[in-house]
Amino acid sequence: MTRYVALPLFLLLTVGGGALIGLSVETGGWYADLAKPVFNPPDWVFGPVWGTLYVLIGIAGWRVWRAGLGAPQKLWWGQLALNFVWPPIFFTAHLLGLGLLVILALAAAIGAFIAATWRAERTAALLFLPYLAWVAYAALLNAALWWLN
């Protein structure tokens, strides 16, 4: 597979997969009724932020694939799996505590990916820094929601 065919496939996987999961989970009534912390962002923020992050995640995955970096590729797939399972756990199953464990594991996987790629594929590592920041914030939000509800 040429590297220029692979990039759209990585983007399709991340952006398309994230969009499908976002459309498949119901975030309305139940979530709207939860007690929220003062730092809870407005609902309209989540779509643009996740859309941008999924583009960065796809590019980073493509870069480690193109560089042939085995361990970072495994970490990339692992973080993507955790990313994709969190919304159904949190929004569909309403399991805030389990969701917190999953999102903390996601943050750890993102951090491990950054550490594993920092020297060999610095651009991929840098692309994951905003992702780590957002997931850390989301984990704090998840923890606050679990505590308040």
Side-chain angles (χ1 to χ4, degrees), residues 44-148:
W44 64 265
V45 169
F46 292 98
V49 168
W50 276 113
T52 302
L53 291 174
Y54 282 130
V55 169
L56 299 178
I57 294 165
I59 295 169
W62 171 70
R63 290 186 65 90
V64 296
W65 170 80
R66 189 183 68 171
L69 302 175
Q73 284 181 52
K74 290 176 184 170
L75 289 167
W76 187 87
W77 285 105
Q79 66 74 32
L80 192 64
L82 291 166
N83 181 308
F84 284 177
V85 301
W86 182 85
I89 290 169
F90 186 90
F91 289 109
T92 304
H94 306 167
L95 297 172
L96 282 68
L98 181 57
L100 180 57
L101 294 176
V102 171
I103 204 166
L104 290 173
L106 173 58
I110 295 166
F113 177 88
I114 292 168
T117 57
W118 191 256
R119 289 195 178 156
E121 180 45 70
R122 177 78 47 100
T123 300
L126 293 171
L127 289 169
F128 260 47
L129 289 177
Y131 181 29
L132 179 59
W134 181 257
V135 168
Y137 170 71
L140 180 61
L141 182 58
N142 188 151
L145 291 166
W146 175 68
W147 181 261
L148 292 170

